[in-house]
Amino acid sequence: MSVRTAPPLRLRPAAGDRQAGMATAEYALALVAACAFAAVLYAVLTSSEVRDLLTRMVVDALGAGG
């Protein structure tokens, strides 16, 4: 009875594989875009106009309940 072993893992891409690092680059680009969007959203939400609007909405919602 012979024991079967799994084929060896390929740790490096083949020499002809031109897109070996593309997934990493795409993830990095998406991460940078997400961080930029988060920074813009933070700037908008912390502005005084938006803060006042949100405060008024909460006060109106709490006042309407009772």
Side-chain angles (χ1 to χ4, degrees):
M1 178 178 211
S2 65
V3 177
R4 292 187 181 185
T5 60
L9 295 176
R10 194 172 96 177
L11 298 178
R12 293 184 187 167
D17 194 3
R18 292 183 179 188
Q19 295 184 355
M22 287 303 293
T24 303
E26 290 166 0
Y27 284 127
L29 186 60
L31 180 63
V32 169
C35 289
F37 180 72
V40 169
L41 188 61
Y42 177 78
V44 168
L45 290 177
T46 56
S47 67
S48 61
E49 295 87 11
V50 174
R51 187 181 310 141
D52 292 341
L53 175 67
L54 292 174
T55 303
R56 277 182 290 175
M57 287 174 58
V58 170
V59 169
D60 290 342
L62 292 175

